[in-house]
Every structure is written in C-alpha cells, then in structure tokens.
Amino acid sequence: MNTYAQLHTRRTNLLIHLIAVPLFIAAHLGLISAIAWQEPLSALIWIGLAVMSLGLQRQGHALEPETPAPFRNGLDFAIRLYTEQFYTFPKFLFSGEFRESWVTASSQNTQMRK
C-alpha cells in the first residue's frame, strides 16, 4: 500500500496541492454560503472552482512516478476524495511530512543533475 507521501514526491505536485486543496475547501465553504443565501450563480461558480481544483490535482498526480489506486466505485471515490481534501492533506501539511517531501524532492533533483 502506498503512503500519502509516496504519492506526493514531486515539487510541482506538492505546490499544486498546496494551492488546490485549500481552493477545494474554500469552494465547499463558499457553496454552503451560496446555498444558505440562495445565490444559484454563486453556487455554480463555487462548484466550478471545486472542479478546477480537482483537475489541477489530477495534473499534479500525472507527474508522479506512482499513481493512486483506481477507485472501486462512486462511494470509494467520494470517501477517498473528501478524506484526502479535508483530513489527509491538512494532516500531511501540518505534521511536517509536506516539508520532508519538499526537502527530499529537492535532494532528488540535485542528485539527478549531477
């Protein structure tokens, strides 16, 4: 089984996630607000931003040597998606693992240039 850090080893992917995951979270908060205030156009914009966030993350994962396991079904997709966005990535970021992956990616780039 791959760990989260093993699937996030490239600096470009780490940067994408650093931007895209907070965007995904903000889009969901904005969507809740738009629904509460009955603003359908705003809701569509927030949905579009969430989809854009996922597209960015997909591009980032395409840069990685290891890919995540395929989704088994729609429920698996939803559970893994929301777990990663709201729990796993924030934990990865604030635990220091993000920084470790960043430093490791830097040293790998340096070794590849030599």
Side-chain angles (χ1 to χ4, degrees):
M1 181 174 144
N2 294 327
T3 67
Y4 194 81
Q6 290 173 318
L7 299 174
H8 298 82
T9 63
R10 300 288 193 251
R11 277 195 169 186
T12 302
N13 189 29
L14 291 168
L15 282 172
I16 288 170
H17 277 69
L18 195 58
I19 294 165
V21 172
L23 176 61
F24 185 86
I25 294 169
H28 278 72
L29 296 174
L31 178 60
I32 292 167
S33 175
I35 291 169
W37 291 97
Q38 298 179 0
E39 297 175 344
L41 181 58
S42 180
L44 289 174
I45 292 169
W46 288 115
I47 290 169
L49 289 171
V51 170
M52 185 177 79
S53 165
L54 294 177
L56 288 169
Q57 291 179 63
R58 183 176 183 178
Q59 292 299 314
H61 281 286
L63 303 171
E64 294 288 347
E66 293 189 45
T67 57
F71 299 109
R72 293 184 304 253
N73 53 44
L75 180 61
D76 181 50
F77 169 78
I79 290 169
R80 285 175 48 192
L81 171 70
Y82 282 95
T83 301
E84 178 178 347
Q85 304 300 303
F86 287 94
Y87 175 74
T88 309
F89 182 79
K91 179 182 171 195
F92 178 70
L93 179 64
F94 294 116
S95 71
E97 288 183 71
F98 180 95
R99 184 179 187 287
E100 287 178 32
S101 291
W102 185 267
V103 170
T104 301
S106 175
S107 64
Q108 287 174 350
N109 289 340
T110 303
Q111 289 173 356
M112 288 173 36
R113 285 188 213 136
K114 290 182 180 181

